[in-house]
Amino acid sequence: VFDDPGYFTVLTREVAFTGNANAFKYDWLRPWGPAADFSTADRLLALAAASGKPYTAQALFWNDYPPKWLLAEPARDLQRLFDSHLTE
C-alpha cells in the first residue's frame, strides 16, 4: 500500500482524510516491551502529509488487546508506562 502509486492516486482523489484504527495503539507500537516501533505509524503520517490530507487516529489504548508483556507488569507501573506512551 505505501509504495503503490496507483493506491496513492486513488487515496488523494477519493478521501477527505486519512487514518488508521490500529497503528498508534499500545499493542501495535509496543508488542514486545516498552520500546516503541513507530515505523508503520510514521509511514502513515508521511502518506497523509504527502497527500495533503489530515490524519485521524483511533484510541491510543484499547483494553481488549493489551500486549502480553504488559499484563505481567505490576499495577504500580502502569500509569508510568501509559504516561510515557502518551508523551512519546
Side-chain angles (χ1 to χ4, degrees):
V1 171
F2 291 114
D3 301 317
D4 181 340
Y7 183 84
F8 183 78
T9 299
V10 170
L11 175 77
T12 57
R13 184 182 66 226
E14 302 292 334
V15 302
F17 64 91
T18 56
N20 180 273
N22 292 315
F24 288 89
K25 287 182 183 171
Y26 204 90
D27 59 321
W28 279 59
L29 289 173
R30 304 170 195 284
W32 311 117
D37 176 4
F38 286 99
S39 58
T40 300
D42 287 343
R43 289 191 79 185
L44 287 167
L45 290 174
L47 181 68
S51 70
K53 307 292 182 179
Y55 186 90
T56 181
Q58 299 291 329
L60 298 178
F61 300 100
W62 191 253
N63 62 322
D64 287 348
Y65 302 104
K68 291 183 184 202
W69 70 267
L70 187 63
L71 296 173
E73 291 293 319
R76 67 180 178 275
D77 292 340
L78 293 180
Q79 182 172 350
R80 176 186 55 77
L81 289 166
F82 291 165
D83 287 348
S84 175
H85 180 70
L86 291 171
T87 301
E88 191 175 2

